[in-house]
Amino acid sequence: MPQATTLLAEPAAGSDFAPLLRQVRGQGLLERRRGWYARSIAVNLLGLAATAAGIVLCGDSWWTLLLAGPAALFWARTAFVGHDSGHAQITGTRRTGRLIGLVHADLLLGMSYAWWNDKHNRHHANPNHVDKDPDVGVGALVWTQRQAAQRQGFTRWLTRNQARLFFPMLLLEGINLKISSVRDLKRQSPAERRTEAALLALHTAGYATLLLSAMSPGKALAFALVHHALFGLHLGMVFAPNHKGMEMPDPADGARRGHLRRQVLTSRNVRGGPVTDWLMGGLNYQIEHHLFPSMPRPHLRLARPLVRAHCRASGLPYTETGIVDSYREALHHMHAVGAPLRTG
């Protein structure tokens, strides 16, 4: 099964990344934190169970919709565990990591672990590269004026207005993740397809049974739509600040970059404290995560001062903003991409 970029290749002796890697290893920041993850997973599972119990207890009432918010929050934490397992942050054993990922992604979320890892692997290898990073490929949104120039009809209108439509469109992302997961099954090997299809079916059956046993079909549908909308919005607001509006390597430029420059120049950190770390699943330390994808989540903030100092010594900009400014920069980039279509 394709794995996300998890293990660091040993850099060349003269690499500008090598001294930083030695520092990080020397401080034990790449060592596993199995106890931390065990506690985090247990707390999250209890939160999911409490939310499900609340749905049953509230029953056939419109007030039950209020539980869609907590359900979306705990689902996002479930997604973060799946993400970390794909990066081998939780365990160094491939089989155990895959099991954790399948349970959290396929069974609990209804999202394909193999699809996500394949996509995320390509993103980590070449962040913000329009020909290699699927996260900046042409889709509902586009990320370069070259992509925008090819839009026609409704998609042209969409691109003209994509900055103002970005957050409303995130409300559809929770459903899009499931559609993409099912579509990806045909790409997978037969054994992998059987496993993931069975788990996705179990998720769908369990989710439907929970809602339909507690409320009428109309209320159940309303809950599912609100739940998935809030889940997609939350995940989108976590991932949007990380790379949008940062440097995008020119495909026509054949110059090869080392790991340090490739990851630092395309990534943005979001400042904050424990609440920000919790809400963003540690991905607010995006620079550190891209430099050390197998680093356990609680160590990312500890690596931050080392990475900042190394970037300063290497003459590399270390981009870090507040949460509001990060969204402003991302939206400004999307608005600029659509500018020629508004004036042409």
Side-chain angles (χ1 to χ4, degrees):
M1 184 196 72
Q3 281 285 97
T5 307
T6 57
L7 302 177
L8 292 169
E10 194 68 38
S15 164
D16 52 3
F17 177 61
L20 177 61
L21 178 57
R22 284 195 294 270
Q23 267 191 304
V24 166
R25 277 184 173 156
Q27 295 199 15
L29 298 180
L30 294 178
E31 295 177 4
R32 310 293 176 201
R33 289 289 301 273
R34 294 180 179 87
W36 185 92
Y37 273 108
R39 290 190 297 273
S40 298
I41 290 172
V43 169
N44 187 61
L45 291 176
L46 286 173
L48 289 171
T51 305
I55 292 170
V56 173
L57 291 173
C58 287
D60 193 22
S61 168
W62 288 111
W63 291 105
T64 309
L65 289 181
L66 294 177
L67 291 172
L73 278 174
F74 288 120
W75 260 26
R77 250 106 317 264
T78 303
F80 296 149
V81 173
H83 166 271
D84 292 1
S85 68
H87 281 296
Q89 293 177 18
I90 303 173
T91 174
T93 305
R94 182 183 178 90
R95 177 175 294 183
T96 304
R98 181 171 183 253
L99 177 61
I100 294 172
L102 287 171
V103 168
H104 283 79
D106 293 73
L107 184 60
L108 295 178
L109 295 181
M111 186 177 80
S112 169
Y113 181 64
W115 164 73
W116 171 257
N117 272 342
D118 175 70
K119 177 176 178 289
H120 203 54
N121 180 51
R122 289 181 283 135
H123 159 69
H124 265 265
N126 292 282
N128 268 15
H129 192 297
V130 294
D131 287 345
K132 299 177 180 179
D133 182 357
D135 288 355
V136 291
V138 175
L141 304 173
V142 295
W143 310 103
T144 69
Q145 291 188 352
R146 185 179 304 170
Q147 291 173 336
Q150 300 172 10
R151 305 287 259 184
Q152 298 294 330
F154 172 72
T155 58
R156 190 176 181 87
W157 174 87
L158 194 64
T159 299
R160 284 202 303 268
N161 299 282
Q162 64 179 10
R164 70 183 67 179
L165 293 174
F166 177 66
F167 287 112
M169 289 175 67
L170 288 181
L171 297 172
L172 301 174
E173 183 60 18
I175 295 174
N176 177 58
L177 291 173
K178 294 194 169 183
I179 294 174
S180 298
S181 295
V182 172
R183 292 176 63 185
D184 186 68
L185 289 175
K186 63 177 179 287
R187 178 195 62 83
Q188 300 172 16
S189 67
E192 191 172 62
R193 186 185 308 124
R194 284 193 297 270
T195 300
E196 297 229 2
L199 290 172
L200 292 176
L202 279 174
H203 164 83
T204 302
Y207 187 76
T209 299
L210 171 65
L211 298 188
L212 291 173
S213 64
M215 61 191 87
S216 67
K219 291 187 180 71
L221 177 61
F223 183 95
L225 290 175
V226 173
H227 179 202
H228 282 78
L230 294 177
F231 173 60
L233 179 64
H234 184 13
L235 283 189
M237 292 180 71
V238 168
F239 289 110
N242 299 342
H243 303 281
K244 303 302 182 274
M246 294 301 296
E247 181 174 311
M248 300 186 71
D250 188 345
D253 183 3
R256 292 181 58 84
R257 294 183 173 185
H259 181 69
L260 184 73
R261 295 185 64 85
R262 183 169 60 250
Q263 304 298 344
V264 171
L265 295 179
T266 57
S267 303
R268 177 195 294 111
N269 275 15
V270 175
R271 286 191 295 268
V275 174
T276 303
D277 291 359
W278 187 79
L279 286 172
M280 300 191 74
L283 294 177
N284 45 313
Y285 302 106
Q286 189 67 194
I287 295 173
E288 287 73 26
H289 171 57
H290 262 255
L291 286 173
F292 305 100
S294 62
M295 180 179 288
R297 193 193 313 172
H299 288 172
L300 293 171
R301 65 180 181 85
L302 303 178
R304 175 175 167 269
L306 299 178
V307 174
R308 287 186 65 185
H310 186 75
C311 287
R312 188 180 302 115
S314 302
L316 284 179
Y318 181 95
T319 304
E320 187 174 58
T321 69
I323 186 68
V324 175
D325 284 339
S326 72
Y327 292 133
R328 183 181 295 118
E329 291 178 13
L331 292 174
H332 175 76
H333 174 74
M334 284 185 273
H335 185 73
V337 166
L341 302 188
R342 292 190 297 273
T343 58

